[in-house]
Structure formats: structure tokens, C-alpha cells
């Protein structure tokens, strides 16, 4: 999607595309995948300029740019955002970067913003705010055709050791998500309360505080 908005069918003239995260390395994960896809696609490689050190990509024909941003929100103020993807929002120290990205889409006709994250343990965190809003959209309490919530999480009263629960909230389990690794961690978590909280938060996506 980032490539589609940078130099594909969704690209705009002088578009601004971003990946964001709480630290630079996390934000650069999307850059690394985009770079690999570009190198495997000669037509893309001929039209873009990759600045690896700066974690930036420029599309020459449209003048659009992509950059990886960390949680230093000062760099995101006053942007004209056509696409953003915020990875692991639950780890963000505050809401500033997300707010700047969201408000930065106001000058675009068809901007797209994506958040990918496990839940935050703090019910007042901006990620919790998005999940709660999303559940109201899913339940029909709020009508918002611009907001698409996709939530995979075990109910709070679910048995955390039931593998059927695991599969319900981990659609990739047994595919590119290792079932054996999850089983091994679950066995340790049964014996260690602090690991149980970690297991329920990171593996079952429950709003649990350690």
C-alpha cells in the first residue's frame, strides 16, 4: 500500500507517504520491505531514488516521497500526508505523532491512514481509544464509513490456554505464525504470572497490564 501510494495507482502529485513507530528501527521495517520489493521490480527501480541512510524514497515522475518517522513528533508537524502506516502504536509514548499524521491528511482528497498494533495495557492510551471507537463502529453505535476497524482479540473471559481461542485471534497461526512457539510460551506462562500477562497481551491481544 505504501508503494501504491508512492509510485503506483494511488500516487498523487507530490504525495507524502510515511511509516511511523515509537523508534527509528521499528519505523524502518516498512522501508526495508519496500526497498526489497523495488529491487525485485525493475520498472520501479528505474523510477525511484532510494536514500538508504535517511530511510527515504523519492518517486521521480510524481515528485512523491516516502519517509520513515520515529515518535519525535516535531518532524511531522505541518505535513501534507497522502498515506501513513503507524506500526505498534501501543508502544508510542504519547499521541502527538499520530495526531500530526492524521491532521496532516486534511489537504488530500483520498488520504489513507493505517494503524497496526497489539492493544495497549493503558485504557487511556491512544491505541485503546482507537480500539474502543472501532468496537462502537463494529457494533453500529457509531456510523463512520471512513473508519474500518479490524480487531483480532480474545474476549476477556476466554480461556487463555484454549488453542481454539488462539486461532480465533491469530489468523496466521500455523501459517507464518509458529504454533509450536506459541505452545512453548504458553507452557511457561502457565507457571509464571508475569509471563501470563505478557502472553495474554501480546499473543491474545487482550488489554492486560503486567
Amino acid at each position: 500500500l505504501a508503494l501504491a501510494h508512492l509510485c503506483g495507482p494511488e500516487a498523487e502529485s507530490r504525495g507524502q507517504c510515511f511509516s511511523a513507530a515509537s523508534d527509528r528501527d521499528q519505523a524502518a521495517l516498512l522501508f526495508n520491505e519496500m526497498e526489497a520489493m523495488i529491487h525485485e521490480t525493475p520498472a520501479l527501480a528505474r523510477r525511484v531514488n532510494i536514500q538508504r541512510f535517511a530511510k527515504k524514497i523519492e518517486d521521480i515522475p510524481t515528485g512523491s516521497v516516502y519517509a520513515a518517522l520515529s515518535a519525535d513528533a516535531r518532524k511531522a508537524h505541518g505535513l501534507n500526508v497522502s498515506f501513513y502506516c503507524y506500526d505498534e502504536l501501543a508502544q508510542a509514548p504519547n499521541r502527538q505523532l499520530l495526531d500530526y499524521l492524521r491532521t496532516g491528511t486534511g489537504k488530500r482528497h483520498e488520504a489513507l491512514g493505517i494503524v497496526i498494533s497489539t492493544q495497549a495495557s493503558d485504557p487511556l492510551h491512544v491505541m485503546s481509544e482507537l480500539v474502543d471507537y472501532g468496537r462502537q463502529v463494529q457494533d453500529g453505535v457509531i456510523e463512520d464509513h471512513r473508519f474500518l476497524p479490524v480487531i483480532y482479540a480474545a474476549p476477556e473471559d476466554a480461556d487463555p490456554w484454549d488453542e481454539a481461542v488462539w486461532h480465533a485471534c491469530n489468523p496466521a497461526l500455523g501459517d507464518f505464525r509458529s504454533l509450536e512457539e506459541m505452545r512453548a510460551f504458553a507452557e511457561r506462562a502457565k507457571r509464571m504470572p508475569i509471563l501470563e500477562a505478557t502472553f495474554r497481551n501480546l499473543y491474545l491481544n487482550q488489554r492486560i497490564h503486567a
Side-chain angles (χ1 to χ4, degrees), residues 8-91:
E10 300 298 326
E12 295 187 47
S13 177
R14 302 189 64 77
Q16 294 184 351
C17 307
F18 300 97
S19 61
S22 59
D23 63 66
R24 183 174 172 80
D25 290 340
Q26 183 77 24
L29 292 177
L30 184 61
F31 167 86
N32 295 336
E33 296 302 317
M34 291 171 66
E35 182 185 34
M37 294 171 75
I38 289 169
H39 286 318
E40 291 295 319
T41 313
L44 291 181
R46 286 192 295 268
R47 64 179 286 165
V48 302
N49 175 31
I50 299 176
Q51 302 171 40
R52 171 167 263 278
F53 179 77
K55 305 301 181 190
K56 292 183 178 180
I57 305 173
E58 179 186 8
D59 180 48
I60 305 302
T62 63
S64 296
V65 294
Y66 156 83
L69 297 176
S70 66
D72 182 0
R74 292 171 297 179
K75 298 177 182 178
H77 191 54
L79 296 175
N80 187 6
V81 182
S82 52
F83 172 87
Y84 70 85
C85 179
Y86 205 127
D87 192 20
E88 292 299 347
L89 177 62
Q91 306 306 315

Side-chain angles (χ1 to χ4, degrees), residues 95 102 123-134 207:
R95 64 181 301 136
R102 292 164 85 178
L124 300 180
H125 193 277
V126 64
M127 184 61 205
S128 300
E129 175 186 297
L130 285 181
V131 172
D132 292 343
Y133 185 85
R207 192 177 297 174

Side-chain angles (χ1 to χ4, degrees), residues 80-182:
N80 187 6
V81 182
S82 52
F83 172 87
Y84 70 85
C85 179
Y86 205 127
D87 192 20
E88 292 299 347
L89 177 62
Q91 306 306 315
N94 55 59
R95 64 181 301 136
Q96 267 194 325
L97 178 56
L98 178 65
D99 284 346
Y100 284 152
L101 289 170
R102 292 164 85 178
T103 56
T105 64
K107 299 176 185 177
R108 301 283 179 178
H109 292 298
E110 294 186 341
L112 176 64
I114 299 174
V115 171
I116 308 170
S117 183
T118 51
Q119 290 213 61
S121 57
D122 181 0
L124 300 180
H125 193 277
V126 64
M127 184 61 205
S128 300
E129 175 186 297
L130 285 181
V131 172
D132 292 343
Y133 185 85
R135 292 197 186 282
Q136 292 184 78
V137 172
Q138 286 182 330
D139 295 340
V141 177
I142 295 175
E143 184 176 339
D144 187 347
H145 69 278
R146 295 177 180 272
F147 190 94
L148 174 64
V150 180
I151 303 171
Y152 292 103
E156 290 187 13
D157 59 352
D159 179 0
W161 317 121
D162 183 352
E163 291 196 12
V165 173
W166 301 358
H167 283 276
C169 57
N170 288 277
L173 194 60
D175 184 2
F176 61 83
R177 180 70 179 88
S178 171
L179 177 58
E180 291 305 313
E181 187 277 337
M182 190 165 180

